[in-house]
Amino acid sequence: MSMIATYEEFVAEECYGLTSEVTDEYTVSNPTPGAIYNAVMLHHYVRTEFDDQPRDHAVEPLQTFSETWHREEGNCEELSVLLCSLLRQVPDHRTRFVTVDNDECQGHALLQINFTGVDDPERVARLLRIAHKYIEEIDRSTDEIHWETEGDDHWFVADPIKSEYIGDVARHVDEGYVHTDGGAWQWHRVKDRGNGIGREAPPPAELARRHG
């Protein structure tokens, strides 16, 4: 069984009350579109309120959503599962897990989000910049916002550990998980989502750079 399938098994199906509990802690006058603002708030909350705690799953099994929530700590897989669980309680987007490694063969798991209610990725990038600025508890400008295009879908990185904001891959580049070449980028290596066997990275994805 692939690790991606394993992560999916750990996604909590019933945590709607917790999602509302988190978003109620943020102040924003007009959170529209909701999918954008909810994603920004939930990503920010997990990134700032939960500690990154590396752990060897050969020794310790993956924590459940409840264990991660109550301990307020987890590794990249567990925090990605926790963020995914919260995000899946709100509409108008899809989420997926991605596993990558770098030149030092250090593995990493992260989450990506596709905003189904907005077709134009450049508009999504603009809305993300606005949301990060207009939510009082965040109130920050974003640097480059990146997305990965596959067919008609545009996937934004929502890494609860390495992304300072949704669409941020600066740390992934610095640590060798992303390679850039001119106007294109690709993960160093993406492990197959179907069978868990490592494969070469796909052709370079479209790179979008939008400054806040």
Side-chain angles (χ1 to χ4, degrees):
M1 178 180 293
S2 74
M3 284 304 296
I4 297 299
T6 300
Y7 303 154
E8 290 285 352
E9 287 187 351
F10 278 77
V11 175
E13 298 296 333
E14 298 295 337
C15 60
Y16 183 79
L18 292 178
T19 297
S20 299
E21 180 181 316
V22 170
T23 56
D24 285 347
E25 294 190 14
Y26 291 85
T27 308
V28 58
S29 59
N30 183 29
T32 304
I36 298 284
Y37 279 85
N38 280 313
V40 169
M41 290 184 282
L42 293 170
H43 173 267
H44 179 267
Y45 183 83
V46 175
R47 185 180 67 80
T48 57
E49 299 296 327
F50 289 78
D51 293 330
D52 174 20
Q53 187 64 51
R55 187 164 38 256
D56 183 358
H57 288 317
V59 179
E60 297 181 74
L62 277 169
Q63 293 182 157
T64 64
F65 172 91
S66 295
E67 289 171 333
T68 305
W69 180 264
H70 291 296
R71 293 175 182 175
E72 297 184 338
E73 65 177 30
N75 63 8
C76 58
E77 295 102 324
E78 292 157 347
L79 294 183
S80 291
V81 165
L82 185 140
L83 177 57
C84 181
S85 299
L86 295 171
L87 282 168
R88 288 190 181 176
Q89 307 309 308
V90 296
D92 297 328
H93 69 273
R94 291 183 292 142
T95 52
R96 70 179 184 184
F97 297 103
V98 174
T99 57
V100 295
D101 65 9
N102 59 15
D103 292 322
E104 285 73 42
C105 295
Q106 297 169 322
H108 183 63
L110 58 99
L111 199 66
Q112 288 185 320
I113 183 167
N114 167 234
F115 296 97
T116 58
V118 184
D119 293 332
D120 181 3
E122 293 190 6
R123 181 166 180 254
V124 171
R126 290 194 298 272
L127 292 169
L128 286 169
R129 288 198 303 273
I130 292 169
H132 281 94
K133 189 66 179 171
Y134 280 22
I135 298 170
E136 292 184 15
E137 289 76 11
I138 301 177
D139 189 15
R140 62 158 298 160
S141 296
T142 60
D143 293 321
E144 295 177 351
I145 291 180
H146 304 257
W147 64 82
E148 182 178 2
T149 296
E150 292 184 1
D152 294 330
D153 295 327
H154 309 287
W155 295 93
F156 290 77
V157 174
D159 190 330
I161 293 177
K162 298 185 185 297
S163 295
E164 291 292 316
Y165 51 87
I166 293 178
D168 174 32
V169 297
R171 189 171 162 191
H172 302 86
V173 173
D174 290 343
E175 296 181 6
Y177 293 104
V178 167
H179 289 169
T180 59
D181 180 15
W185 69 284
Q186 63 181 17
W187 297 114
H188 173 261
R189 188 181 73 188
V190 180
K191 295 177 182 177
D192 184 47
R193 296 184 179 90
N195 58 25
I197 301 172
R199 63 176 171 85
E200 292 302 312
E206 176 183 347
L207 173 63
R209 294 185 178 137
R210 298 293 177 265
H211 295 274

